[in-house]
Amino acid sequence: RPEIAASILRTYAQFVDQGMIPNRFPDKGEHPEYNTVDATLWYVEAVRAYYQATGDQELLRQLYPVLAEIIRWYRRGTRYNIAMDETDGLLYAGEEGIQLTWMDAKVGNWVVTHRIGKPVEISALWYNALMTMAEFAEVLGEDRDDYQTLAQKVKKGFQRFWNANMGYCYDIVDGPDGPDGKLRPNQLFAISLPHSPLTPEQQRSVVDACARHLLTAHGLRTLSPDDEAYIGHYGGDQLKRDSAYHQGTVWAWLIGPFVTAHLRVYNDPDVARSFLRPLIQHMVDHGVGTISEIFDGDAPFTPRGCIAQAWSVAEVLRTWQLTESET
C-alpha cells in the first residue's frame, strides 16, 4: 500500500523541527515531544525503503530538502547535545535525565539505561543515512560528494566501537564512564542496515556473539546473561518491571535485525528463517494471531508486556519476506 506509506512520510516531514521528528504526538492542543535521537535517522531509512519498493522519484524529490535539513542539523548540533563529533564523524547525544534511544525506560527522574555518549546504533544509523543521501543525490542529479566524503569519515571513525578483545562492538564510546563493553543487541544494526561500516570479519563476529549470548526462541535479550546487571525475569511493580525492561528482557522485534544480519553474513535463507518459526508458533499460545512485545530473558521465556505489538509483527513479516526473496 504505497499510497499510505507516502502519506505517512509526507506527514512526518511537516513536523521536522531542528532536524528532528517527534518521538510522540500527544493529545490535541499539546506540543509534540522531540526526545529521540534515533527516530529521525530511521525516517531516512524509511524513505530509502519506500523508494526501493516504489521508485517514486516525485516523492523523493519532495522530501529531499527535508532530509538534507536533517543531515545539516545533526552535523552542526540540535537538541539534547545531539551533534556529530568533527574529530571522528560519530554522533554524540545525551544529557542528564533524558532518554533518547529506543532503550528509553525511565522511572521518575531515573533513566535506567543512561546511554549518554556515542551509542553504537546511532552512528550506524548515521552512516547509513549519509550513504543513503549520497544515493538519493545521484538519483536526483544533486551533488553527492559531501555525503560520500562524510560517510567515509564516519566509517573510519566507527572502528572506535570495535572491541578486539571481546570480538564485538562497544555499546557506547565517549560516555561519562568511558567505553561501555556490555554485550547488547544494538550493534546488530551496524550489520542489518543496508550500509554497514564494519568489515565482513567483524560482521560475522558480532552475529556469532549475539547468537551465543542474546538469541532466544522469541527474540533477543537486551543484555547478556553473563553481565552482573542482567535481570532474567520481567515482573513485579513498575520499578521492578522498568528496571528489567532493557537489562535482559527479550524483545521480539529484535529478531528482525538479527535475521537480517545473519542472512547478510551467512547467506543461508533456510537457517535465517528457522529463527522466525518459534515466533510464528507463538501466535497460537498467547495473543492469538499476533506476537507479544517482550519475553522473560530466562527460560521458559514467558511472554510479557503487550500481547500484540506492532513492531514485533512487522519485523517478523519483513524478515520472513526477506528470506523468501533470497531463496
Side-chain angles (χ1 to χ4, degrees), residues 183-198:
L183 177 55
R184 296 188 184 275
N186 302 306
Q187 59 193 290
L188 284 167
F189 294 109
I191 308 162
S192 63
L193 287 165
H195 301 284
S196 172
L198 294 174

Side-chain angles (χ1 to χ4, degrees), residues 127-185:
Y127 174 73
N128 186 70
L130 292 169
M131 291 294 291
T132 297
M133 287 298 289
E135 292 175 348
F136 287 168
E138 187 169 18
V139 168
L140 298 175
E142 303 285 345
D143 183 12
R144 63 172 287 165
D145 291 347
D146 285 348
Y147 295 121
Q148 191 76 42
T149 300
L150 192 53
Q152 293 311 305
K153 181 177 184 177
V154 177
K155 184 175 185 178
K156 181 179 178 181
F158 200 88
Q159 286 301 310
R160 295 190 58 218
F161 285 106
W162 187 247
N163 184 340
N165 291 331
M166 300 301 294
Y168 55 78
C169 291
Y170 288 110
D171 191 56
I172 300 169
V173 296
D174 293 346
D177 301 317
D180 182 353
K182 293 183 182 298
L183 177 55
R184 296 188 184 275

Side-chain angles (χ1 to χ4, degrees), residues 47-106:
V47 176
R48 185 211 61 79
Y50 170 85
Y51 179 72
Q52 182 184 37
T54 65
D56 185 351
Q57 286 195 25
E58 180 181 352
L59 182 64
L60 181 59
R61 194 171 295 280
Q62 290 175 18
L63 297 180
Y64 184 81
V66 177
L67 300 179
E69 178 189 0
I70 287 170
I71 300 298
R72 285 194 296 269
W73 272 101
Y74 266 57
R75 183 172 185 178
R76 72 191 180 202
T78 183
R79 297 175 177 89
Y80 308 119
N81 296 316
I82 298 170
M84 189 191 81
D85 184 339
E86 289 288 348
T87 61
D88 57 16
L90 305 180
L91 277 184
Y92 183 94
E95 63 181 52
E96 288 295 328
I98 302 294
Q99 71 282 39
L100 294 175
T101 71
W102 83 273
M103 290 187 162
D104 60 356
K106 185 177 180 182

Side-chain angles (χ1 to χ4, degrees), residues 265-285:
V265 167
Y266 287 104
N267 194 29
D268 191 330
D270 291 335
V271 172
R273 181 172 292 184
S274 72
F275 300 121
L276 298 170
R277 288 200 173 92
L279 281 164
I280 301 296
Q281 295 164 0
H282 164 71
M283 290 196 298
V284 298
D285 67 21

Side-chain angles (χ1 to χ4, degrees), residues 6-7 42 68-69 97 102 120 131 135 147 161 184-185 190 194 204-205 208-209 245 251 295 317 319:
S7 175
W42 278 115
E69 178 189 0
W102 83 273
V120 63
M131 291 294 291
E135 292 175 348
Y147 295 121
F161 285 106
R184 296 188 184 275
R204 177 171 294 202
S205 186
D208 290 348
Y245 215 28
W251 287 71
F295 300 78
L317 283 171
T319 46

Side-chain angles (χ1 to χ4, degrees), residues 4 13 73 119 122 128 145 150 156 178 187 221 233 250 307 320:
I4 296 177
W73 272 101
I122 303 306
N128 186 70
D145 291 347
L150 192 53
K156 181 179 178 181
Q187 59 193 290
R221 298 182 179 97
H233 171 72
V250 170
I307 64 169
W320 186 272

